[in-house]
Amino acid sequence: AQANVRFVTFMGGEPLLHPRIADMMQMATDMGVQPTMVTNGWLLPGKLDALAATGISTIFVSIDSEDASAHEKNRGLKGVCERIRESNTRMAALGITPIASVAMTRLVTDYRALGHFLKELGFAAVTFSYPRRAALGSSSLVWSEDSDLVDMSNAELLAAFDGVEQTREVIPVHNPRQGIADMRRRLTGEGERFTCHAGYKYFYMDWNYDLWRCEDWKAPICPVWDFTPDKMMRDPCQACTTDCYRDASIMLHFSVAL
């Protein structure tokens, strides 16, 4: 409340494994905070009705490849695509928008085909997580030093960003065009035009209830219970390529938002 937070995303790990995930979402709704979540979709069919009752309006489902077998092999969840398709079909009637969350890794080899695959699964749109080649500074588990899927050359990365624009021709892409352009400028050495507002408009809270500027930051701000507005970090930052902070910050610019 002190930070005027209006949206919260539950992510992990797999948030649907938490036995009280719906209770936490309902608590957020009751506080005037709009909840959403990122899930692998495996448990969605059995929990969708309970989630819908909390007022959630958007659910992000992780997709790793335009090839169903490659996605399921990477996830270790044989049959998950059919569960995702079933859930996406039901979401429309429940007033929930299904959005695909795709990490730009070597598992995606054809971005236009990816767009068609996502439409087939019933997604309304897609958001891309930008590739990163350095470990996160926080306690977040969304990066692994043992995976070679994101250890891509600059040429591969630039081709991937071209691929995102190809996907946009097939299905709506939530990443702003200016965000894609800024990442290209970063890779080519031109330098980004936009800065990040994490620590001021956006925060990351881990399972220990420590509040961080973002998932990439080197140290937490404080335990969430000790937060006061004077602890906000308002200095502009371009240290990482974490899209959920960088793109959201870009969208604060009126002309880009329009």
Side-chain angles (χ1 to χ4, degrees):
Q2 293 189 62
N4 195 30
V5 171
R6 293 179 294 165
F7 302 92
V8 60
T9 300
F10 293 91
M11 56 187 292
E14 173 50 51
L16 287 180
L17 288 173
H18 197 291
R20 298 192 62 193
I21 185 64
D23 294 337
M24 291 188 286
M25 288 189 171
Q26 186 63 59
M27 183 178 296
T29 299
D30 293 344
M31 293 173 62
V33 178
Q34 177 66 52
T36 187
M37 69 181 306
V38 183
T39 174
N40 61 32
W42 182 258
L43 297 174
L44 262 180
K47 300 199 174 186
L48 200 51
D49 290 331
L51 295 175
T54 70
I56 190 172
S57 60
T58 304
I59 293 180
F60 296 89
V61 182
S62 299
I63 298 292
D64 299 330
S65 173
E66 73 278 10
D67 179 77
S69 60
H71 169 71
E72 294 185 352
K73 180 180 180 181
N74 189 57
R75 290 279 158 176
L77 297 172
K78 185 174 177 59
V80 71
C81 287
E82 189 53 43
R83 290 179 179 234
I84 292 170
R85 183 181 288 106
E86 174 192 341
S87 299
N88 287 351
T89 300
R90 291 175 53 204
M91 280 190 212
L94 294 170
I96 302 173
T97 302
I99 307 293
S101 178
V102 178
M104 295 165 64
T105 74
R106 288 192 171 118
L107 285 176
V108 182
T109 59
D110 186 333
Y111 280 81
R112 187 172 278 105
L114 173 69
H116 289 294
F117 178 55
L118 297 179
K119 288 185 72 173
E120 177 195 334
L121 288 177
F123 286 106
V126 56
T127 183
F128 286 96
S129 295
Y130 302 147
R132 57 177 305 113
R133 291 175 287 188
L136 295 166
S138 74
S139 58
S140 173
L141 299 177
V142 301
W143 186 88
S144 172
E145 63 183 8
D146 299 324
S147 174
D148 63 357
L149 294 178
V150 294
D151 188 21
M152 300 157 74
S153 68
N154 276 15
E156 287 178 290
L157 293 172
L158 288 169
F161 283 113
D162 288 341
V164 170
E165 296 307 316
Q166 294 168 10
T167 307
R168 205 186 296 272
E169 298 170 5
V170 180
I171 189 172
V173 173
H174 274 199
N175 308 78
R177 294 180 189 273
Q178 284 293 345
I180 301 296
D182 231 19
M183 293 299 101
R184 292 185 64 89
R185 285 189 286 266
R186 181 187 181 99
L187 289 168
T188 57
E190 297 175 60
E192 299 104 305
R193 295 177 183 173
F194 298 95
T195 58
C196 184
H197 294 287
Y200 172 42
K201 293 291 186 180
Y202 314 102
F203 303 89
Y204 162 64
M205 188 178 73
D206 67 15
W207 53 87
N208 296 315
Y209 303 106
D210 282 332
L211 196 68
W212 302 70
R213 177 176 187 158
C214 69
E215 292 170 272
D216 198 61
W217 206 246
K218 55 185 176 293
I221 297 173
C222 63
V224 69
W225 324 109
D226 299 334
F227 177 81
T228 51
D230 61 284
K231 293 183 173 67
M232 287 181 175
M233 305 173 75
R234 303 193 185 196
D235 54 311
C237 182
Q238 294 177 329
C240 76
T241 60
T242 309
D243 60 286
C244 51
Y245 303 98
R246 297 298 299 269
D247 282 354
S249 297
I250 289 175
M251 291 299 290
L252 293 177
H253 291 261
F254 183 69
S255 59
V256 177
L258 279 178

